[in-house]
Amino acid sequence: MNAAAREPLTTIDDTDVRVLLLENIHADGAEFLRGKGYQVQTLDRALGEDDLIEAIKGVHLLGIRSTTYITEKVLQNAPDLIAIGAFCIGTNQIDLAATNRYGVAVFNAPYSNTRSVVELAVAEIISLARRLHEKSTAMHNGIWNKSAAGSHEIRGRTLGIVGYGNIGSQLSVVAEALGMSVVFYDIDDKLALGNAKRCSTLEELLDIADVVTLHVDGRPGNAGLFGDAEMRRMKPRSLFLNLSRGIAVDTAALREHIESGHIAGAAIDVFPVEPKRQGDPFESDLRGLPNVILTPHVGGSTEEAQQDIGRFVASKLRAYAAFGTTSLSVTFPELNPPADPDKHRLAHVHRNAPGVLASINAILGDHGVNIEGQQLATRGELGYVVTDVSAAVSPEVLTALAELPETIRLRQLS
């Protein structure tokens, strides 16, 4: 879609930037952006599509977590939006292909809550192995059941990690330090840390693991990854954890295998359907089962992690709005131009096609605009050019650049 048809934002000043932060994003993120002169509105809940379309009017930067969904319809109705910050790891709640079509940059926090998730996984593995959840519930019900039956150490057990990314690999190191043997399976070629061993298939991992834990992303191919067949393949009386994506697990099948005793216990932090607001009813096939720990998607929800995420993603949104920086963007080509507030800068998002840079420079040359510096990067079908010029350019130059057939979005940064 041509930038002119979108009526793209062509100039932006820090005092004019409007920000909407949803889902109780840490206050440090909001304060950081306010400190830069931005107008920041915060809400402690997710918004559905229609409410989001209404709330996003005039908003330039949007911050969400995991339960606000950014659809193409939302983007169609947000002509001022230039960037989205996912204040979490995952971005499957965002239509990334559509953000590229509308020239909206996306940022996330791929590392900030890794330790928090790892610590929860370790705590739950130990709790399940010792059946602490059952014992605590019995004590609260006035029952004293001092027994070692079904209670085990994790030392010497084999942990099977499905998904060996930032979280899975760090969990591998911690688990090994606790005396566990570690095997992992990942569709990508990942370097094993410590003494961990790579399995060539998921089935191989399931045959040998005493504990299976999922740490996969939200790509469509992971929907239904773990169902009845995989659970049957697991060793009898093994343990199962999912702290990654709710869509990955068939919870009805998991209930059957826990009730049969084939799976001795489970810890689940994510669900196919999750409440949008604090206090909303929660329904699941897994409620009421013995030795099953259910937590409300809190793997990364420690004060330390949320503070780090708030600062990290807010700084990425600020750098993009003010300087055109796309470092660590989920979708955009990566450029890291010098953060010089005195520069007059043009940020041009376009379809990746031959000759775009030449066309941009021809327009600037024809209008006597002196280029002081320029960077170009491409990523798939998207191209991104940042051009520093000696003075603010005229509306005629902006119009000519916006009307290039390949233009998706054009911004002039003062």
Side-chain angles (χ1 to χ4, degrees), residues 43 51 55 75 97 106-107 114 128 165 182 193 200 205 214 218 220 223 225 231 249 266 295 307 359 363 368 373:
L43 292 176
D51 289 337
L75 295 165
V106 178
F107 300 90
T114 300
L128 291 172
V182 178
L193 301 181
S200 58
L205 179 146
L214 302 190
L225 171 70
M231 294 172 198
V249 175
T295 49
Q307 184 176 45
S359 298
I363 290 171

mmCIF file of all heavy atoms in Angstrom, residues 43 51 55 75 97 106-107 114 128 165 182 193 200 205 214 218 220 223 225 231 249 266 295 307 359 363 368 373:
data_model
loop_
_atom_site.group_PDB
_atom_site.id
_atom_site.type_symbol
_atom_site.label_atom_id
_atom_site.label_comp_id
_atom_site.label_asym_id
_atom_site.label_seq_id
_atom_site.Cartn_x
_atom_site.Cartn_y
_atom_site.Cartn_z
ATOM 1 N N LEU A 43 -3.303 1.609 30.606
ATOM 2 C CA LEU A 43 -4.464 0.834 31.039
ATOM 3 C C LEU A 43 -3.963 -0.475 31.631
ATOM 4 O O LEU A 43 -2.956 -1.037 31.172
ATOM 5 C CB LEU A 43 -5.402 0.543 29.866
ATOM 6 C CG LEU A 43 -6.152 1.732 29.257
ATOM 7 C CD1 LEU A 43 -6.959 1.276 28.042
ATOM 8 C CD2 LEU A 43 -7.072 2.367 30.287
ATOM 9 N N ASP A 51 -12.574 -2.134 20.822
ATOM 10 C CA ASP A 51 -12.135 -1.148 21.816
ATOM 11 C C ASP A 51 -10.738 -0.634 21.496
ATOM 12 O O ASP A 51 -10.435 0.550 21.689
ATOM 13 C CB ASP A 51 -12.146 -1.769 23.216
ATOM 14 C CG ASP A 51 -13.560 -2.010 23.734
ATOM 15 O OD1 ASP A 51 -14.489 -1.338 23.254
ATOM 16 O OD2 ASP A 51 -13.717 -2.882 24.601
ATOM 17 N N ALA A 55 -9.429 3.161 20.908
ATOM 18 C CA ALA A 55 -8.408 3.722 21.798
ATOM 19 C C ALA A 55 -7.155 4.152 21.051
ATOM 20 O O ALA A 55 -6.422 5.029 21.517
ATOM 21 C CB ALA A 55 -8.048 2.706 22.881
ATOM 22 N N LEU A 75 -4.729 -2.450 12.422
ATOM 23 C CA LEU A 75 -3.718 -1.667 11.707
ATOM 24 C C LEU A 75 -4.344 -0.788 10.628
ATOM 25 O O LEU A 75 -3.889 0.340 10.400
ATOM 26 C CB LEU A 75 -2.679 -2.608 11.101
ATOM 27 C CG LEU A 75 -1.841 -3.378 12.131
ATOM 28 C CD1 LEU A 75 -1.114 -4.531 11.467
ATOM 29 C CD2 LEU A 75 -0.858 -2.453 12.828
ATOM 30 N N ALA A 97 2.970 -9.950 9.471
ATOM 31 C CA ALA A 97 2.944 -9.672 8.031
ATOM 32 C C ALA A 97 2.185 -8.380 7.753
ATOM 33 O O ALA A 97 2.594 -7.566 6.916
ATOM 34 C CB ALA A 97 2.313 -10.841 7.282
ATOM 35 N N VAL A 106 8.004 -3.456 14.893
ATOM 36 C CA VAL A 106 7.640 -4.245 16.069
ATOM 37 C C VAL A 106 8.902 -4.563 16.860
ATOM 38 O O VAL A 106 9.917 -4.990 16.301
ATOM 39 C CB VAL A 106 6.930 -5.553 15.669
ATOM 40 C CG1 VAL A 106 6.604 -6.385 16.914
ATOM 41 C CG2 VAL A 106 5.653 -5.259 14.881
ATOM 42 N N PHE A 107 8.818 -4.353 18.177
ATOM 43 C CA PHE A 107 9.924 -4.660 19.081
ATOM 44 C C PHE A 107 9.406 -5.548 20.214
ATOM 45 O O PHE A 107 8.225 -5.480 20.577
ATOM 46 C CB PHE A 107 10.519 -3.373 19.664
ATOM 47 C CG PHE A 107 11.068 -2.439 18.626
ATOM 48 C CD1 PHE A 107 10.253 -1.464 18.061
ATOM 49 C CD2 PHE A 107 12.379 -2.528 18.200
ATOM 50 C CE1 PHE A 107 10.741 -0.599 17.085
ATOM 51 C CE2 PHE A 107 12.879 -1.675 17.226
ATOM 52 C CZ PHE A 107 12.062 -0.706 16.671
ATOM 53 N N THR A 114 14.011 -14.129 30.797
ATOM 54 C CA THR A 114 14.482 -15.505 30.661
ATOM 55 C C THR A 114 14.743 -16.148 32.018
ATOM 56 O O THR A 114 14.297 -17.267 32.292
ATOM 57 C CB THR A 114 15.774 -15.538 29.820
ATOM 58 O OG1 THR A 114 15.499 -15.002 28.531
ATOM 59 C CG2 THR A 114 16.302 -16.939 29.687
ATOM 60 N N LEU A 128 6.953 -30.800 41.792
ATOM 61 C CA LEU A 128 6.246 -31.969 41.265
ATOM 62 C C LEU A 128 6.921 -33.262 41.708
ATOM 63 O O LEU A 128 6.255 -34.236 42.076
ATOM 64 C CB LEU A 128 6.189 -31.900 39.740
ATOM 65 C CG LEU A 128 5.308 -30.809 39.130
ATOM 66 C CD1 LEU A 128 5.515 -30.749 37.620
ATOM 67 C CD2 LEU A 128 3.836 -31.042 39.452
ATOM 68 N N GLY A 165 15.976 -22.604 22.961
ATOM 69 C CA GLY A 165 16.289 -21.203 22.728
ATOM 70 C C GLY A 165 16.867 -20.553 23.971
ATOM 71 O O GLY A 165 17.562 -21.196 24.769
ATOM 72 N N VAL A 182 20.671 -33.800 30.972
ATOM 73 C CA VAL A 182 19.828 -32.975 30.097
ATOM 74 C C VAL A 182 19.922 -33.458 28.663
ATOM 75 O O VAL A 182 21.025 -33.663 28.131
ATOM 76 C CB VAL A 182 20.236 -31.487 30.172
ATOM 77 C CG1 VAL A 182 19.374 -30.658 29.218
ATOM 78 C CG2 VAL A 182 20.104 -30.971 31.601
ATOM 79 N N LEU A 193 24.897 -26.818 25.456
ATOM 80 C CA LEU A 193 25.662 -26.213 26.544
ATOM 81 C C LEU A 193 25.983 -27.279 27.587
ATOM 82 O O LEU A 193 25.178 -28.182 27.848
ATOM 83 C CB LEU A 193 24.876 -25.070 27.180
ATOM 84 C CG LEU A 193 24.488 -23.927 26.243
ATOM 85 C CD1 LEU A 193 23.737 -22.847 27.020
ATOM 86 C CD2 LEU A 193 25.715 -23.331 25.569
ATOM 87 N N SER A 200 17.863 -36.268 18.019
ATOM 88 C CA SER A 200 17.571 -36.022 16.605
ATOM 89 C C SER A 200 16.085 -35.952 16.321
ATOM 90 O O SER A 200 15.664 -35.384 15.308
ATOM 91 C CB SER A 200 18.216 -37.112 15.743
ATOM 92 O OG SER A 200 17.743 -38.397 16.128
ATOM 93 N N LEU A 205 13.676 -38.070 22.454
ATOM 94 C CA LEU A 205 13.675 -37.381 23.748
ATOM 95 C C LEU A 205 12.632 -37.985 24.677
ATOM 96 O O LEU A 205 12.899 -38.225 25.868
ATOM 97 C CB LEU A 205 13.421 -35.891 23.533
ATOM 98 C CG LEU A 205 13.366 -35.003 24.778
ATOM 99 C CD1 LEU A 205 13.941 -33.620 24.466
ATOM 100 C CD2 LEU A 205 11.939 -34.843 25.308
ATOM 101 N N LEU A 214 8.323 -27.917 27.858
ATOM 102 C CA LEU A 214 8.202 -27.247 26.566
ATOM 103 C C LEU A 214 8.629 -25.791 26.678
ATOM 104 O O LEU A 214 8.177 -25.067 27.574
ATOM 105 C CB LEU A 214 6.758 -27.287 26.057
ATOM 106 C CG LEU A 214 6.078 -28.639 25.872
ATOM 107 C CD1 LEU A 214 4.750 -28.465 25.141
ATOM 108 C CD2 LEU A 214 6.971 -29.616 25.141
ATOM 109 N N GLY A 218 5.442 -19.328 19.457
ATOM 110 C CA GLY A 218 4.032 -19.385 19.073
ATOM 111 C C GLY A 218 3.777 -19.511 17.588
ATOM 112 O O GLY A 218 2.668 -19.218 17.134
ATOM 113 N N PRO A 220 2.641 -20.940 14.042
ATOM 114 C CA PRO A 220 1.504 -21.838 13.785
ATOM 115 C C PRO A 220 1.866 -23.313 13.790
ATOM 116 O O PRO A 220 1.066 -24.153 14.211
ATOM 117 C CB PRO A 220 1.022 -21.380 12.398
ATOM 118 C CG PRO A 220 1.433 -19.942 12.302
ATOM 119 C CD PRO A 220 2.735 -19.855 13.045
ATOM 120 N N ALA A 223 1.220 -25.320 17.027
ATOM 121 C CA ALA A 223 -0.128 -25.601 17.515
ATOM 122 C C ALA A 223 -0.353 -27.108 17.516
ATOM 123 O O ALA A 223 -0.113 -27.792 16.525
ATOM 124 C CB ALA A 223 -1.160 -24.909 16.634
ATOM 125 N N LEU A 225 1.372 -29.277 19.075
ATOM 126 C CA LEU A 225 2.654 -29.982 19.066
ATOM 127 C C LEU A 225 2.645 -31.195 19.987
ATOM 128 O O LEU A 225 3.201 -32.247 19.674
ATOM 129 C CB LEU A 225 3.763 -29.015 19.493
ATOM 130 C CG LEU A 225 5.151 -29.614 19.752
ATOM 131 C CD1 LEU A 225 5.771 -30.062 18.435
ATOM 132 C CD2 LEU A 225 6.052 -28.598 20.457
ATOM 133 N N MET A 231 2.173 -37.894 24.565
ATOM 134 C CA MET A 231 2.046 -38.245 25.978
ATOM 135 C C MET A 231 2.138 -39.751 26.186
ATOM 136 O O MET A 231 2.713 -40.221 27.174
ATOM 137 C CB MET A 231 0.735 -37.688 26.524
ATOM 138 C CG MET A 231 0.712 -36.164 26.544
ATOM 139 S SD MET A 231 -0.902 -35.486 26.964
ATOM 140 C CE MET A 231 -0.714 -33.791 26.377
ATOM 141 N N VAL A 249 -0.317 -27.569 23.502
ATOM 142 C CA VAL A 249 -0.664 -28.768 24.266
ATOM 143 C C VAL A 249 -2.161 -29.059 24.187
ATOM 144 O O VAL A 249 -2.997 -28.149 24.319
ATOM 145 C CB VAL A 249 -0.237 -28.608 25.743
ATOM 146 C CG1 VAL A 249 -0.697 -29.796 26.579
ATOM 147 C CG2 VAL A 249 1.272 -28.446 25.832
ATOM 148 N N ALA A 266 2.034 -32.488 36.524
ATOM 149 C CA ALA A 266 2.228 -31.496 35.469
ATOM 150 C C ALA A 266 2.182 -30.098 36.068
ATOM 151 O O ALA A 266 1.541 -29.857 37.093
ATOM 152 C CB ALA A 266 1.161 -31.639 34.383
ATOM 153 N N THR A 295 -0.682 -22.117 37.031
ATOM 154 C CA THR A 295 -0.341 -20.726 37.315
ATOM 155 C C THR A 295 -0.837 -19.837 36.176
ATOM 156 O O THR A 295 -0.894 -20.274 35.021
ATOM 157 C CB THR A 295 1.176 -20.556 37.504
ATOM 158 O OG1 THR A 295 1.866 -21.198 36.423
ATOM 159 C CG2 THR A 295 1.633 -21.166 38.820
ATOM 160 N N GLN A 307 10.269 -5.014 35.343
ATOM 161 C CA GLN A 307 10.971 -3.736 35.345
ATOM 162 C C GLN A 307 11.970 -3.668 34.199
ATOM 163 O O GLN A 307 12.039 -2.677 33.458
ATOM 164 C CB GLN A 307 11.680 -3.529 36.670
ATOM 165 C CG GLN A 307 12.353 -2.164 36.792
ATOM 166 C CD GLN A 307 12.980 -1.953 38.169
ATOM 167 O OE1 GLN A 307 13.641 -2.839 38.704
ATOM 168 N NE2 GLN A 307 12.766 -0.786 38.733
ATOM 169 N N SER A 359 16.208 6.005 -6.695
ATOM 170 C CA SER A 359 15.042 6.895 -6.871
ATOM 171 C C SER A 359 14.965 7.930 -5.753
ATOM 172 O O SER A 359 14.676 9.105 -5.994
ATOM 173 C CB SER A 359 13.757 6.066 -6.908
ATOM 174 O OG SER A 359 13.747 5.178 -7.991
ATOM 175 N N ILE A 363 15.426 12.079 -6.298
ATOM 176 C CA ILE A 363 14.463 13.102 -5.849
ATOM 177 C C ILE A 363 15.167 14.141 -4.988
ATOM 178 O O ILE A 363 14.968 15.362 -5.166
ATOM 179 C CB ILE A 363 13.307 12.438 -5.077
ATOM 180 C CG1 ILE A 363 12.431 11.620 -6.037
ATOM 181 C CG2 ILE A 363 12.466 13.481 -4.343
ATOM 182 C CD1 ILE A 363 11.396 10.767 -5.344
ATOM 183 N N GLY A 368 17.803 19.748 -4.770
ATOM 184 C CA GLY A 368 18.943 20.423 -4.159
ATOM 185 C C GLY A 368 19.163 20.077 -2.699
ATOM 186 O O GLY A 368 19.737 20.879 -1.948
ATOM 187 N N GLY A 373 24.594 11.776 5.257
ATOM 188 C CA GLY A 373 24.838 10.383 5.627
ATOM 189 C C GLY A 373 23.631 9.549 5.250
ATOM 190 O O GLY A 373 22.505 10.055 5.187
#
